[in-house]
Amino acid sequence: MEEEPRVVEGAEQRLAAERIRSKLALLPDQSGCYLMKNGDGTIIYVGKAKVLKNRVRSYFNGSHDGKTQKLVSEIRDFEYIVTSSNMEALILECNLIKQHHPRYNVLLKDDKSFPYIKITNEKHPKLEVTRRIVKDKGKYFGPYPNAYAAQQTKKLLDRLYPLRKCNTLPDKVCLYYHLGQCVAPCEYEIAPGTYEAMVQEITRFLNGGHDEVKKTLQGKMAAAAEGLEFERAKEFRDQIMAIDAIMEKQKITLSDEMDRDVFGFATDKGWMCVQIMYMRQGKLIERHATTFPFYGDEYDDFMTFVTQYYSDNPALPKEILLPAPVQEESDAAAADGVPHTDEVAAGSAADEVRVSLQKWLKVKVFMPQRGRKRDVVAMAVNNAKVTLSEKFQLIERDEVRTVKASEGLAEALGLPEIRRIEAFDNSNIQGTDPVSAMIVFTDGKPDKKEYRKYKVRTVKGPDDYETMREVVRRRYERVLKEGLQLPDLIVVDGGKGQISAALDVLENELGLFVPVCGLVKDAKHKTAQLMIGDPPEIVPLTRDSQEFYLLQRIQDEVHRFAISFHREQRGKSMVASRLDAIPGIGEKRRKLLLKHFGSIKKIKEAGIEDFRPLSIGEKLASQIIEALREEP
């Protein structure tokens, strides 16, 4: 008997649960994409399926790990789109993710934008390193996972080929012309075909023809040496060495000199690591790993990553190597006779995915089952496993360190335990817009949902002690009123004065007895001493201890949080003062203007007619624009 779909229910969720049950019963046995929505109707996850009925129902049947359960707990509705094939589902999923940016799908993408080398399409072309690909008829080469390698390659090409270097042509020749790195189109007529020849040479180099360029340079170096032009010969030698340094990074090679991307992936504890190995002319020149949580079937989400990757990085290799699904790989290996193509069995689910991706990308895609290509894929998979293992080892090590640091700090202060620390810092610049901030560390780690910001209400001018009194009073009055958890330790930014101010409010006004310590900074504004007690005494902690490191992290974090809040408030007050200075603009109109336009800059750039929706006439609109444009 088929298991009844389980949907998390609450009083206000009953209608949504019933709607989901009804829709689950109507799901088709066809391929397609599904879109999960939250209570606001926002799409939070997009997935694809070979059989929609089975895949979508699986979210509401059985049990899930905590991470996937969090996604499921937010689902209040779903939609689906039927496709005629897996390939259509793959492409549709890619487009839907790019269109809606679902919160849980964004995690399936690498947050890095790789650089490319570009030859601009201009009368006088130039070389650039860019992270954006636009349809401007320029030539793009890459991506380069190593940004430093991209910059070094560009520097080498700048020395080899004298294309324009400046953004706008100057009135006379510059230093690059005298160095032989620019043909100076600003002053001299460029012979027909000059740029075309250089662009062809650069294209050949970036497409893997660096060996030919290297041979040409070796010939020029020999000729210069024979002509006793030793400085010139040295320049050629340096260029050859630069090519070797950039292109000969790895020893892994395949004899066919093919440009290919090799993928491997590993999963553990709800996380996936994808390893990409970049082979150019058969040589492994670079690799890149990215790690993210995944929420669906692991192989489906891996293929989603690959699809998204090439959607955002359109510079394609000649060939892509992918691992096959584990079950199908073992089936192929155990079959009577290995496929002659070194591939997974034709017509299998894995082969269908491979063919779909190949048709969409229009490059060869393989899932090798034997030979050297399979070894390279296995290497990528193994690297992904190692990277994922290292991630969890680092997390475990950090957790052990932070727990020990909290225990050591409690021992140093004579406290039974320290699990929750609340830290305060005040911020003002020359007494303006004074603010304060509180952060929370739980078990040695920041708990950002507990952070709080305070606008100082009663203190005028830069009085740090009174500011501390006000903020501590406001915080712990609320703790008492709402029955919130008290900290095991309160940390203030400062020494005796700040500690005494906090203790006075806590003990004499609120009747609370919570340990308060102060962090004193040195002349370089770095954490120097820990003080506690009344009167405060210095607690001896060595600077290389984990306890001292924990205190540094706390002080740096609360200072960062306070400063960012102060800048935010100061920026708002500066905007307000600029608008308030204009006759006819009061608080109500100022708020309307900022809400409508979004910023002072946009108000300044607006036209008279843009003010009409706010019921502001031409005269006042002209005064606003004129007043803002007169300011520097």
Side-chain angles (χ1 to χ4, degrees):
M1 183 176 178
E2 190 177 27
E3 183 182 357
E4 179 67 19
R6 177 180 52 79
V7 180
V8 179
E9 293 190 44
E12 69 279 358
Q13 300 167 7
R14 196 165 298 153
L15 188 60
E18 187 58 40
R19 180 169 59 247
I20 288 176
R21 286 194 181 93
S22 300
K23 285 189 171 184
L24 289 175
L26 300 174
L27 282 165
D29 295 323
Q30 293 174 261
S31 62
C33 289
Y34 52 92
L35 302 88
M36 301 298 194
K37 298 181 177 182
N38 65 11
D40 298 325
T42 302
I43 295 169
I44 58 174
Y45 187 73
V46 172
K48 64 179 179 301
K50 188 174 182 180
V51 180
L52 280 166
K53 180 178 180 180
N54 296 343
R55 185 74 193 98
V56 177
R57 286 178 65 90
S58 72
Y59 285 93
F60 305 100
N61 288 335
S63 60
H64 303 287
D65 58 30
K67 174 182 57 61
T68 304
Q69 185 58 44
K70 186 175 186 304
L71 163 64
V72 175
S73 69
E74 294 185 33
I75 299 173
R76 295 293 175 269
D77 195 6
F78 68 86
E79 294 179 8
Y80 60 88
I81 302 171
V82 175
T83 61
S84 60
S85 67
N86 252 356
M87 183 182 80
E88 281 189 11
L90 191 72
I91 297 169
L92 178 60
E93 180 193 39
C94 175
N95 292 335
L96 290 172
I97 290 173
K98 292 185 74 172
Q99 179 182 348
H100 298 290
H101 301 287
R103 181 153 57 93
Y104 287 95
N105 284 109
V106 168
L107 299 173
L108 291 174
K109 290 181 60 182
D110 192 359
D111 60 357
K112 290 182 175 60
S113 175
F114 293 146
Y116 294 79
I117 291 179
K118 171 186 176 182
I119 307 174
T120 63
N121 179 42
E122 300 173 90
K123 181 181 179 181
H124 305 291
K126 61 180 292 194
L127 276 175
E128 295 177 345
V129 173
T130 181
R131 292 180 184 269
R132 291 179 63 247
I133 291 184
V134 294
K135 294 180 179 179
D136 57 0
K137 297 184 179 178
K139 290 179 178 286
Y140 292 86
F141 304 89
Y144 290 82
N146 186 329
Y148 177 76
Q151 293 289 352
Q152 291 300 105
T153 302
K154 178 186 176 295
K155 285 182 181 179
L156 172 64
L157 292 171
D158 282 340
R159 288 160 60 188
L160 293 175
Y161 303 102
L163 291 180
R164 172 172 66 92
K165 304 293 185 293
C166 50
N167 291 324
T168 56
L169 294 181
D171 297 329
K172 58 182 180 180
V173 295
C174 62
L175 180 61
Y176 286 113
Y177 171 74
H178 296 294
L179 291 173
Q181 294 184 25
C182 180
V183 291
C186 55
E187 192 159 325
Y188 302 107
E189 190 72 27
I190 307 304
T194 301
Y195 286 137
E196 288 79 357
M198 284 193 283
V199 168
Q200 285 180 5
E201 285 291 309
I202 294 170
T203 301
R204 186 177 61 169
F205 181 97
L206 293 173
N207 280 333
H210 52 273
D211 283 338
E212 294 179 36
V213 175
K214 186 176 169 183
K215 287 177 184 177
T216 301
L217 289 173
Q218 286 170 337
K220 290 181 179 180
M221 180 179 69
E226 285 180 13
L228 304 181
E229 298 178 69
F230 297 116
E231 286 296 320
R232 188 70 172 150
K234 181 178 179 298
E235 288 180 15
F236 290 129
R237 185 203 65 186
D238 291 343
Q239 291 171 2
I240 292 167
M241 291 174 66
I243 292 175
D244 289 338
I246 291 169
M247 306 308 294
E248 304 293 333
K249 285 188 171 184
Q250 303 282 349
K251 295 180 180 177
I252 305 299
T253 62
L254 291 177
S255 58
D256 57 10
E257 298 189 350
M258 175 80 73
D259 288 356
R260 54 171 60 87
D261 292 348
V262 184
F263 286 80
F265 76 97
T267 57
D268 190 18
K269 300 181 178 68
W271 285 75
M272 178 179 293
C273 175
V274 177
Q275 183 88 209
I276 312 171
M277 300 168 65
Y278 303 88
M279 303 189 78
R280 298 299 179 261
Q281 286 205 305
K283 298 172 184 174
L284 176 59
I285 64 165
E286 192 63 71
R287 67 188 182 118
H288 174 72
T290 183
T291 308
F292 49 85
F294 70 100
Y295 297 89
D297 174 81
E298 63 180 49
Y299 197 79
D300 281 350
D301 279 356
F302 164 67
M303 292 304 300
T304 295
F305 176 91
V306 175
T307 309
Q308 289 286 304
Y309 174 80
Y310 285 114
S311 141
D312 294 335
N313 296 291
L316 291 167
K318 300 293 183 184
E319 185 176 287
I320 297 169
L321 303 184
L322 302 174
V326 174
Q327 184 58 45
E328 297 216 23
E329 185 177 356
S330 61
D331 290 348
D336 293 332
V338 181
H340 294 296
T341 59
D342 295 344
E343 286 294 294
V344 294
S348 67
D351 185 61
E352 188 177 343
V353 170
R354 179 190 67 78
V355 171
S356 297
L357 190 62
Q358 184 168 278
K359 286 181 178 178
W360 184 53
L361 296 177
K362 296 181 174 59
V363 300
K364 293 181 179 178
V365 180
F366 297 108
M367 296 177 177
Q369 293 296 294
R370 64 180 181 183
R372 191 73 181 96
K373 290 182 180 180
R374 184 186 184 281
D375 293 342
V376 177
V377 171
M379 182 191 301
V381 170
N382 187 56
N383 274 274
K385 289 178 180 177
V386 169
T387 301
L388 203 55
S389 175
E390 286 176 352
K391 172 186 174 64
F392 292 120
Q393 287 175 15
L394 286 172
I395 291 173
E396 289 170 6
R397 186 178 67 176
D398 286 345
E399 287 178 351
V400 170
R401 282 183 174 180
T402 53
V403 169
K404 285 186 176 179
S406 297
E407 292 172 354
L409 185 59
E411 185 178 345
L413 297 175
L415 302 174
E417 70 171 1
I418 296 178
R419 299 206 56 195
R420 181 183 176 94
I421 298 173
E422 296 186 358
F424 294 84
D425 189 18
N426 306 322
S427 179
N428 67 77
I429 297 176
Q430 297 176 343
T432 63
D433 303 300
V435 299
S436 189
M438 182 201 78
I439 66 165
V440 176
F441 267 55
T442 303
D443 292 329
K445 292 175 287 187
D447 192 353
K448 295 192 175 183
K449 68 179 183 298
E450 295 284 319
Y451 286 16
R452 296 293 182 268
K453 303 172 181 176
Y454 297 92
K455 293 181 184 178
V456 178
R457 298 171 181 166
T458 61
V459 182
K460 303 299 179 184
D463 190 332
D464 204 39
Y465 301 155
E466 286 305 313
T467 298
M468 187 63 68
R469 285 175 180 275
E470 177 188 325
V471 173
V472 169
R473 183 182 299 113
R474 287 166 59 187
R475 166 62 182 168
Y476 295 105
E477 279 180 346
R478 182 177 180 185
V479 167
L480 288 172
K481 182 180 179 181
E482 299 183 11
L484 302 176
Q485 181 184 355
L486 278 169
D488 300 304
L489 178 68
I490 295 172
V491 177
V492 297
D493 186 66
K496 296 179 181 180
Q498 286 83 356
I499 294 173
S500 298
L503 283 172
D504 183 43
V505 171
L506 288 167
E507 296 177 1
N508 298 328
E509 296 185 26
L510 304 177
L512 294 174
F513 295 90
V514 180
V516 178
C517 69
L519 296 177
V520 184
K521 295 176 181 175
D522 58 20
K524 296 181 180 178
H525 214 63
K526 298 292 184 182
T527 307
Q529 291 178 331
L530 171 65
M531 303 183 75
I532 193 168
D534 189 14
E537 295 180 355
I538 295 174
V539 180
L541 284 178
T542 58
R543 289 202 172 209
D544 60 351
S545 66
Q546 287 298 318
E547 292 79 12
F548 194 83
Y549 174 62
L550 173 59
L551 292 171
Q552 278 185 318
R553 286 179 60 208
I554 291 172
Q555 190 166 41
D556 290 344
E557 175 66 359
V558 70
H559 182 68
R560 176 201 66 78
F561 190 53
I563 285 290
S564 63
F565 180 45
H566 182 261
R567 285 175 180 160
E568 175 188 324
Q569 293 304 308
R570 190 161 177 256
K572 287 180 180 178
S573 68
M574 289 173 68
V575 168
S577 64
R578 291 175 69 184
L579 288 172
D580 287 340
I582 301 172
I585 301 295
E587 183 180 356
K588 185 176 179 181
R589 267 189 174 150
R590 166 166 51 82
K591 289 180 178 178
L592 281 172
L593 283 164
L594 288 173
K595 184 177 180 181
H596 182 73
F597 290 102
S599 69
I600 287 285
K601 182 182 177 184
K602 289 185 178 178
I603 298 174
K604 190 189 297 187
E605 294 171 351
I608 299 293
E609 65 281 357
D610 296 324
F611 291 83
R612 285 176 186 160
L614 303 177
S615 300
I616 293 177
E618 290 186 15
K619 184 178 179 182
L620 180 55
S622 299
Q623 289 176 346
I624 294 170
I625 295 170
E626 185 178 349
L628 293 177
R629 289 177 180 174
E630 284 178 356
E631 294 184 16

